[in-house]
Amino acid sequence: ADASTVTIRTRKFMTNRLLQRKQMVVDVIHPGLANVSKVEMREKLAKVFKSETDLVFPFGFRTQFGGGRSTGFVLVYDSMESAKKFEPKYRLARQGLVEIKRIARKQRKERKNRNKKLHGTEKAKGKKAKKSND
């Protein structure tokens, strides 16, 4: 029940020239292990496809009932530029290649409610709402 017993098989392999990547369905056989980490998978697949680990994007893995086997999808990009160009931001963030800055929920809601009082193009500029003197 260690990393050496893990076997990775690829199915439905396709070279996608348009998106500058290789894409495939991956079957991971891991008897005695609950599952295999994506980091471990990336390292093994990078070795197989003679690529860097940063260019391998595994996702959507599901463990079959009874365990011992998982199936998922893997994309291996040709270059970092193409990976950053075509890969969704959340998957890049998972790999630590890009930082997603989040605005606090409270701040978002406050801004939304302030914008309700504004009219037309003022919303984009974020001008202050006029106080009505009634």
Side-chain angles (χ1 to χ4, degrees), residues 3-63:
S4 61
T5 60
V6 174
T7 23
I8 296 177
R9 286 210 184 94
T10 61
R11 290 189 288 130
K12 297 186 177 178
F13 180 87
M14 178 184 157
T15 305
N16 191 333
R17 285 285 110 233
L18 202 63
L19 299 175
Q20 293 141 31
R21 70 187 184 194
K22 297 173 195 81
Q23 52 195 53
M24 68 217 82
V25 173
V26 172
D27 291 324
V28 186
I29 299 151
H30 46 85
L33 287 169
N35 55 19
V36 184
S37 73
K38 287 197 188 114
V39 176
E40 206 174 300
M41 225 174 294
R42 278 169 54 196
E43 286 166 1
K44 287 194 177 210
L45 287 161
K47 209 177 287 177
V48 172
F49 291 102
K50 296 176 180 69
S51 169
E52 296 168 42
T53 51
D54 287 347
L55 303 177
V56 181
F57 291 83
F59 61 96
F61 278 84
R62 285 272 168 263
T63 310

Side-chain angles (χ1 to χ4, degrees), residues 73-86:
F73 209 77
V74 174
L75 306 173
V76 182
Y77 283 91
D78 298 348
S79 67
M80 191 48 97
E81 294 87 64
S82 56
K84 285 189 172 165
K85 187 177 175 184
F86 299 117

Side-chain angles (χ1 to χ4, degrees), residues 84-121:
K84 285 189 172 165
K85 187 177 175 184
F86 299 117
E87 200 61 8
K89 295 285 178 279
Y90 76 94
R91 280 210 292 255
L92 290 168
R94 264 184 203 171
Q95 226 117 306
L97 300 173
V98 76
E99 194 67 47
I100 297 173
K101 57 176 176 58
R102 299 222 185 279
I103 302 165
R105 185 181 166 94
K106 182 93 171 159
Q107 284 177 329
R108 280 201 309 264
K109 286 176 174 293
E110 283 171 356
R111 183 183 291 139
K112 170 185 69 87
N113 291 329
R114 271 199 307 272
N115 280 344
K116 280 183 187 173
K117 296 171 192 167
L118 300 177
H119 200 266
T121 56

Side-chain angles (χ1 to χ4, degrees), residues 119-134:
H119 200 266
T121 56
E122 293 172 350
K123 288 183 183 188
K125 295 171 192 161
K127 281 187 180 173
K128 297 273 185 266
K130 292 188 198 95
K131 290 264 168 38
S132 59
N133 299 336
D134 289 335

